[in-house]
Amino acid sequence: MQILYHFIVAYLSVSLLVYLFREKRLRWQISTAIVLVMFLLRLFLIK
Amino acid sequence: MSRHTVCAAGLLLAVVVVCVVSGLRFRSMHTEDAIYPDGSLTEHRRLSDYFPALQGSAGDTDVYIFQGEAAGAGLLILGGTHPNEPAGFITTLMLVEKTQVVQGKIVFIPQANHSGFTHNDPFEASPQRFAITTPEGKRWFRYGSRLTNPVHQWPDPALYINPSGQKLAGAEMRNLNRNYPGSRTGGLTQQVAHAVMELMREEGIDVAVDLHEAAPEYPVVNALVFHENSAELAAVTVMGLEMTDLSFRLEESPRNLRGLSHREWGDHAGVFAFLFETANASHGRLKGRPSTALITEGQDQYYVKAARLGLLFVPFDEKGIPLRGRVARHVAALQALLSSWAELYPLKPLEVQGWPSAEAIAAAGVGPFLHPPN
């Protein structure tokens, strides 16, 4: 169960990371970074 | 390199910094609180010694055993069942550092729900730590959650039916004081409850006390809850406390409220089971901004207003209800319980030395009675 949880959060974190570098508008990049913080904290079970 | 790539790299660096700083701070909740037992400690064990499946888990916790020279009764004192009720934990910790048993045996578990000390309740803005000032400096202690950390026990069911058959909200599956008598094969919290029951059997416990706190607006506060098998002992204890001007509400454990220590300990381990409650403003729903001062000093303007409106079950003025007063109340109740035991059961003595008086704690605070920080 925990491996599945990690896989889902890791997949979404990588997707956000890719989006962060593709996005050209600064406002959307900042929004992505804020969400990425929460996903990375979840990924390392800091919650 | 394009401008948006530079921005992305900068933001990624900021993300990493935020994650590392907040992560390290949060992971520090897993650092153990230091406890320095009195030199008369007979045995330092772990809860997993009584139920080996707990070994290496977040539910395993320290057990301190003080055995007197002469045989007598066995007393178990549990703190930290709910790690967001610090008076229970601090009272137990202070007594571990100040106990010398002459006759009988006292077993202490200061952090009964050890996992609950590793996190806070979401959305409560509770401080992660609070300090108590000793003459040699400050000692810091964790302020945890009422429930087991979901990292250690997850997921919660929508509806929880506890080992005694009581239907509860799903999150109560992580509440140690809803999980007695526990289960060998259940979740971590049920296993901790099972281990406590095993400890009582193995150590020959006669009397068991679970130290708690509750919100000032909760009816069962400044109270002594007892199993019906302990009615006489409870009544004599409260009469003794009344003579020292400490008023305690006497509450019999409801027979249809299952899973609680004061119910299942009496039913399943045959011990005289008690639960003590003090009033803690930092625990309540009417409080203002949470802070370490609210935990230790217990002053809150909204509780003063609530008291004026007659909404509370304890007196509450601008002086508040500080931690020193709450710990003093727990110690007074324990001392009264020991006196009552000596009066009612003289053939099974339980005598202890070294405990500070409730008056001294209320006047000087807890700090002078704690081991200095290392």
Side-chain angles (χ1 to χ4, degrees):
Chain A
M1 183 69 90
Q2 192 144 319
I3 290 172
L4 181 66
Y5 178 86
H6 271 110
F7 177 78
I8 293 168
V9 180
Y11 173 76
L12 293 171
S13 301
V14 170
S15 301
L16 283 165
L17 196 60
V18 170
Y19 182 79
L20 178 69
F21 278 90
R22 279 189 183 167
E23 178 56 52
K24 291 188 169 50
R25 289 163 297 184
L26 180 62
R27 185 166 155 244
W28 291 109
Q29 282 183 310
I30 293 170
S31 304
T32 308
I34 292 168
V35 177
L36 188 57
V37 166
M38 294 172 206
F39 273 78
L40 288 180
L41 290 174
R42 286 256 159 191
L43 186 62
F44 296 107
L45 293 177
I46 300 160
K47 57 176 187 171
Chain B
M1 195 182 290
S2 63
R3 183 179 153 272
H4 80 269
T5 308
V6 173
C7 286
L11 285 167
L12 183 60
L13 183 65
V15 165
V16 170
V17 169
V18 170
C19 286
V20 169
V21 170
S22 58
L24 286 176
R25 194 175 159 87
F26 195 85
R27 296 295 291 182
S28 72
M29 289 285 283
H30 291 258
T31 307
E32 297 293 326
D33 291 318
I35 300 177
Y36 308 96
D38 187 88
S40 68
L41 179 74
T42 313
E43 204 175 353
H44 181 186
R45 301 187 75 178
R46 299 277 289 170
L47 197 57
S48 57
D49 293 342
Y50 304 92
F51 182 51
L54 280 182
Q55 196 165 19
S57 77
D60 203 3
T61 189
D62 289 315
V63 176
Y64 300 93
I65 302 173
F66 294 81
Q67 176 79 57
E69 292 284 318
L75 168 65
L76 170 66
I77 300 177
L78 221 68
T81 291
H82 293 149
N84 61 341
E85 298 169 15
F89 164 50
I90 294 297
T91 301
T92 314
L93 177 141
M94 182 191 71
L95 295 181
V96 166
E97 298 184 357
K98 284 284 167 195
T99 287
Q100 293 114 43
V101 175
V102 180
Q103 286 181 296
K105 176 200 281 185
I106 303 185
V107 180
F108 294 97
I109 307 179
Q111 296 180 310
N113 187 351
H114 181 267
S115 165
F117 281 88
T118 63
H119 72 135
N120 286 129
D121 289 322
F123 310 117
E124 289 290 330
S126 300
Q128 289 178 322
R129 287 186 158 69
F130 63 96
I132 295 178
T133 305
T134 74
E136 290 82 8
K138 282 184 178 177
R139 275 181 68 179
W140 289 86
F141 302 100
R142 288 177 291 180
Y143 186 87
S145 164
R146 181 177 175 81
L147 305 174
T148 298
N149 193 331
V151 168
H152 303 138
Q153 183 181 317
W154 180 84
D156 293 334
L159 180 72
Y160 174 48
I161 301 173
N162 75 8
S164 301
Q166 184 101 48
K167 286 181 187 168
L168 298 161
E172 295 293 333
M173 190 176 179
R174 291 182 286 121
N175 181 348
L176 178 58
N177 203 28
R178 298 294 181 277
N179 275 286
Y180 291 107
S183 162
R184 298 176 66 86
T185 54
L188 180 67
T189 317
Q190 289 183 1
Q191 291 187 350
V192 170
H194 173 74
V196 173
M197 302 300 290
E198 289 297 304
L199 178 151
M200 283 195 271
R201 290 186 192 102
E202 198 172 312
E203 296 294 343
I205 298 298
D206 298 288
V207 189
V209 184
D210 194 8
L211 300 179
H212 283 254
E213 296 202 88
E217 68 270 26
Y218 182 60
V220 184
V221 73
N222 281 359
L224 189 154
V225 188
F226 64 94
H227 188 274
E228 64 270 11
N229 70 2
S230 321
E232 189 180 16
L233 189 55
V236 176
T237 300
V238 167
M239 280 193 285
L241 286 163
E242 293 285 346
M243 281 189 264
T244 60
D245 287 337
L246 278 176
S247 181
F248 270 75
R249 204 182 297 268
L250 201 51
E251 301 277 349
E252 183 173 337
S253 172
R255 289 165 203 251
N256 56 355
L257 187 56
R258 310 299 308 204
L260 290 98
S261 53
H262 48 77
R263 166 54 42 202
E264 309 302 343
W265 290 357
D267 281 1
H268 293 271
V271 301
F272 294 104
F274 295 94
L275 184 148
F276 298 168
E277 293 272 16
T278 57
N280 174 11
S282 72
H283 192 64
R285 300 262 52 87
L286 307 180
K287 66 178 181 285
R289 185 181 171 192
S291 67
T292 52
L294 183 58
I295 295 168
T296 53
E297 301 308 318
Q299 294 166 347
D300 185 281
Q301 57 175 318
Y302 302 105
Y303 271 108
V304 175
K305 282 184 187 173
R308 286 186 189 138
L309 293 169
L311 299 175
L312 306 184
F313 288 86
V314 288
F316 201 105
D317 59 20
E318 284 76 7
K319 291 177 186 167
I321 306 178
L323 184 63
R324 64 172 68 183
R326 283 136 53 198
V327 171
R329 185 170 270 274
H330 276 323
V331 171
L334 286 167
Q335 286 172 329
L337 181 66
L338 290 181
S339 301
S340 309
W341 178 266
E343 193 177 318
L344 296 173
Y345 303 96
L347 297 179
K348 221 173 183 189
L350 183 56
E351 189 184 345
V352 62
Q353 292 178 344
W355 288 7
S357 70
E359 295 78 16
I361 298 166
V366 181
F369 305 106
L370 292 180
H371 190 282
N374 273 351

